[in-house]
Amino acid sequence: MSVGVRAMEIAAGNSNTFTTQAGDNVLVVGIAANPSAGGNITGVTFNGIALTEVVEIGGGAQADRKVWIGYLVAPDIGAFTLVASGTGIDSWTSQVALFVSAGFLEAGQPRDTDAIEDNSNDTLNVSLTPTVAGDLCFYMGYKGGVQASWSGATAETSGVSGSKGAYEIATTTSENASYGVAGDNSIAVCGAAFKAGRSAGRVSGAIG
């Protein structure tokens, strides 16, 4: 079984309205921000319900770029606000929302994560080990001062101030995607491989 994706959207800032539809079983989210040294994203909510964080990087050696990925199983259906909160965040860049419609195994997520940052580089690569064809590989990238692009992913969002989200459905047990463009600017990227499968015991519709 493969994870099914209905849509992926991007919006600027840290508080935006996204609309889930009937059949959207999981909401996967990417966040990009500009932190001070040591700054952190402390929470992300959709309609007041907290997402589970899976990976975050930035605010350390590369202090002025940060990316974050999390997810929410069985999100409320309708138009609701996605809000990111943090400490030591100088400004918020973007939010990416990916709507999963089928094939997402609820237990034991994620299967794998990867994250890297650099204060001066053209491109950075995210390497994930899905292990099962059909897994969802979701990526978030942010490069300061210039709009970059994802290579190796199936689909990417439009760009917002140097940031983009992207995804692919795994076809092998090793997936790689690169984010960047010529120019040695500060950059941070992260990715997560989410398990495909069929969950049991769901009260309000099986995930997959």
Side-chain angles (χ1 to χ4, degrees):
M1 169 172 284
S2 295
V3 174
V5 173
R6 177 180 66 79
M8 182 172 58
E9 303 172 2
I10 190 169
N14 73 313
S15 180
N16 293 280
T17 297
F18 291 96
T19 302
T20 49
Q21 298 181 6
D24 289 343
N25 290 316
V26 179
L27 179 66
V28 178
V29 169
I31 303 291
N34 297 297
S36 301
N40 286 297
I41 295 171
T42 56
V44 178
T45 62
F46 183 69
N47 195 29
I49 302 171
L51 277 72
T52 299
E53 177 183 331
V54 296
V55 63
E56 175 182 3
I57 194 167
Q62 174 32 52
D64 56 353
R65 305 287 174 250
K66 178 176 283 292
V67 286
W68 179 101
I69 291 174
Y71 72 99
L72 176 64
V73 172
D76 291 340
I77 302 302
F80 300 109
T81 306
L82 182 69
V83 179
S85 303
T87 58
I89 303 296
D90 294 332
S91 62
W92 297 92
T93 305
S94 67
Q95 300 175 317
V96 173
L98 182 140
F99 306 94
V100 174
S101 56
F104 189 102
L105 185 66
E106 185 174 356
Q109 295 287 5
R111 193 182 299 278
D112 191 26
T113 63
D114 190 24
I116 187 170
E117 60 179 346
D118 198 303
N119 61 9
S120 182
N121 211 321
D122 289 346
T123 301
L124 293 180
N125 184 70
V126 177
S127 297
L128 296 174
T129 307
T131 73
V132 174
D135 280 1
L136 168 66
C137 297
F138 178 75
Y139 308 101
M140 191 70 192
Y142 183 20
K143 184 167 185 176
V146 62
Q147 187 58 62
S149 294
W150 282 102
S151 174
T154 301
E156 65 176 7
T157 64
S158 58
V160 172
S161 300
S163 65
K164 280 185 179 180
Y167 79 92
E168 62 181 320
I169 305 303
T171 58
T172 71
T173 58
S174 179
E175 298 290 351
N176 295 274
S178 297
Y179 187 69
V181 69
D184 289 336
N185 301 66
S186 56
I187 183 172
V189 297
C190 65
F194 293 99
K195 298 177 183 179
R198 186 179 297 277
S199 293
R202 296 283 295 158
V203 175
S204 57
I207 300 178

